Amino acid sequence: MTAFSDLPIRDDLRGLTPYGAPQVHVPIQLNVNENTHGIPEDVARDVVESVAAAVLGMNRYPDREFTELRESLAGYLAADVAPERTGSTQTITAEQVWAANGSNEILQQILQAFGGPGRSVLGFPPTYSMHSIIAAGTGTRWIAGERGDDYALTPGIVTDWIERTEPDLVFLCAPNNPTGTPLGLDVIEAAYAASRGMVVVDEAYAEFMPDDAPRATTLLPGRERLIVSRTMSKAFAFAGARLGYLAADPAVADALRLVRLPYHLSALTQAAAVAALRHAPEMLAMVDDIRSQRDRMLRELPALGYSAHDSWANFVLFGGVRDPRAVFEALLGEGIIIRDIGIPNHLRVTAGTEAETSAFLDALAALGASQSEPVDRILG
Ligand SMILES: *Cc1c(COP(=O)(O)O)cnc(C)c1O
């Protein structure tokens, strides 16, 4: 059998491992932070009708500028910067918006345009594993910074790392995956001030933040090197459709036009996303419920003897797990998949529906206290 390393592959890809969240089809899937709630039927019908209409025009290439979609996304983002939230008259226009097949492709295009061989990107592990994988794929050197207590970042930490390493890009994840850690706007402002390169804020979980927490989009005016990346995969229950987007200075979109493949967003994707965005309030109706299940896990995991890290996302990282692999396998045996993200004595679980979350907590309780151990013994 041929191994990929036997092929004349790029030297810098030798020895790397691909993104590998297991895709196991068990009844309760709480491993990749998907929205566990289905798409409401009337929305599904509208999506299908819009896609059906697009099929009739499929002999033609799609709108390369996905203008209608960018207008819809700008309209959706307007809520972030609404005067009643920000007290300002800031707007987000379609020219400031760019979209791609998932925010992973957004990040790839950003690194293709602003990173690449001879350039570097600074990130702060433990963070979204795709950040370093996309860096590798684009030949961008990954610089692993370090976080402070309980995975938090401060203006001082990011400024120090940026001044010491002078990266061409900084990736910040707000809130951070896999830890759930909130990120203050003061940290983003500090990173921007310290850096001469692009500052990318991955806000994949923005909708799960507290309603009154300001979004990174409010920092865009006057910061032409700031990019806020978003996705419809999580809050919008659209992971299977693949639609990510960004908001930034219009010049960023001009730069990405140099590296994107022409017609990268299919007519079907554009039609489906525009249709779903017409129903944004309904699509997001489940966010409150998901947040309450997250908060329930934050309360109940400690009662089972585990430590839970504060989370502003739709998942919880919990510690105090003596043998993560054993707990993962035991839950899998009960038809529940969660995530072992490789942090010693920790596991990550996505907030499910009320029933799914109950099943997870009950199964964990049934494993007994033998699977958890006092936090001080782990830290000690
Ligand atoms: C899930 C996730 C994404 C989503 O990627 P898509 O390609 O849009 O599905 C992006 N960033 C982070 C931090 C995530 O956790």
Side-chain angles (χ1 to χ4, degrees), residues 23-375:
Q23 286 198 298
V24 183
H25 296 287
V26 294
I28 300 181
Q29 298 180 31
L30 304 176
N31 64 329
V32 286
N33 302 342
E34 291 154 337
N35 191 319
T36 46
H37 296 64
I39 294 184
E41 195 168 327
D42 61 320
V43 183
R45 192 161 286 130
D46 196 11
V47 169
V48 168
E49 281 167 13
S50 300
V51 169
V55 166
L56 297 176
M58 234 161 46
N59 55 314
R60 303 292 182 189
Y61 282 110
D63 175 7
R64 201 170 51 214
E65 289 293 313
F66 38 98
T67 309
E68 191 185 1
L69 174 58
R70 289 163 75 201
E71 280 165 359
S72 299
L73 289 166
Y76 174 66
L77 287 174
D80 276 17
V81 296
E84 57 270 26
R85 289 191 60 169
T86 59
S88 81
T89 55
Q90 186 192 343
T91 54
I92 292 183
T93 64
E95 290 69 42
Q96 288 179 267
V97 175
W98 184 254
N101 296 284
S103 52
N104 277 281
E105 189 180 40
I106 289 283
L107 298 174
Q108 184 179 53
Q109 290 180 349
I110 291 169
L111 286 180
Q112 285 177 317
F114 298 104
R119 293 192 166 212
S120 62
V121 55
L122 169 66
F124 294 90
T127 192
Y128 185 41
S129 60
M130 282 308 301
H131 289 171
S132 54
I133 292 174
I134 296 170
T138 58
T140 314
R141 185 165 58 90
W142 172 253
I143 303 171
E146 283 164 16
R147 292 175 174 269
D149 290 345
D150 205 18
Y151 306 115
L153 288 178
T154 62
I157 292 174
V158 296
T159 301
D160 183 49
W161 273 94
I162 291 167
E163 287 176 352
R164 277 197 288 130
T165 63
E166 299 185 347
D168 297 285
L169 298 105
V170 181
F171 276 6
L172 299 169
C173 196
N176 186 51
N177 179 11
T179 60
T181 319
L183 185 79
L185 291 194
D186 57 338
V187 179
I188 301 168
E189 289 175 293
Y192 191 89
S195 155
R196 274 173 293 143
M198 302 301 292
V199 175
V200 180
V201 183
D202 185 341
E203 270 194 346
Y205 300 97
E207 290 90 344
F208 300 103
M209 290 163 54
D211 288 334
D212 58 0
R215 312 304 198 238
T217 38
T218 59
L219 296 178
L220 287 172
R223 291 188 180 86
E224 67 284 349
R225 293 178 288 106
L226 179 64
I227 300 176
V228 182
S229 163
R230 292 283 187 87
T231 181
M232 290 177 70
S233 290
K234 307 287 162 60
F236 243 88
F238 233 51
R242 311 305 302 130
L243 203 289
Y245 55 100
L246 64 75
D249 190 279
V252 169
D254 289 338
L256 299 188
R257 282 187 183 88
L258 301 174
V259 297
R260 62 92 175 267
L261 298 175
Y263 317 112
H264 67 284
L265 265 187
S266 94
L268 305 186
T269 304
Q270 294 185 38
V274 168
L277 286 160
R278 276 199 292 270
H279 300 270
E282 207 180 332
M283 291 291 278
L284 296 176
M286 297 303 176
V287 164
D288 280 343
D289 187 45
I290 294 167
R291 285 192 291 207
S292 72
Q293 296 309 317
R294 171 200 68 200
D295 293 341
R296 178 183 164 206
M297 293 198 292
L298 288 174
R299 281 192 312 274
E300 294 190 18
L301 283 165
L304 294 177
Y306 298 95
S307 60
H309 295 270
D310 188 25
S311 173
W312 273 11
N314 68 342
F315 57 83
V316 173
L317 178 74
F318 60 101
V321 188
R322 201 184 49 212
D323 184 349
R325 202 68 224 165
V327 173
F328 174 88
E329 296 291 347
L331 292 171
L332 198 56
E334 301 294 317
I336 302 167
I337 186 164
I338 64 168
R339 192 79 182 274
D340 181 354
I341 28 86
I343 300 179
N345 303 112
H346 283 71
L347 288 166
R348 191 193 70 190
V349 58
T350 307
T353 60
E354 183 175 9
E356 289 171 329
T357 306
S358 298
F360 160 72
L361 289 168
D362 291 348
L364 198 60
L367 294 181
S370 63
Q371 290 302 335
S372 67
E373 67 174 325
V375 176

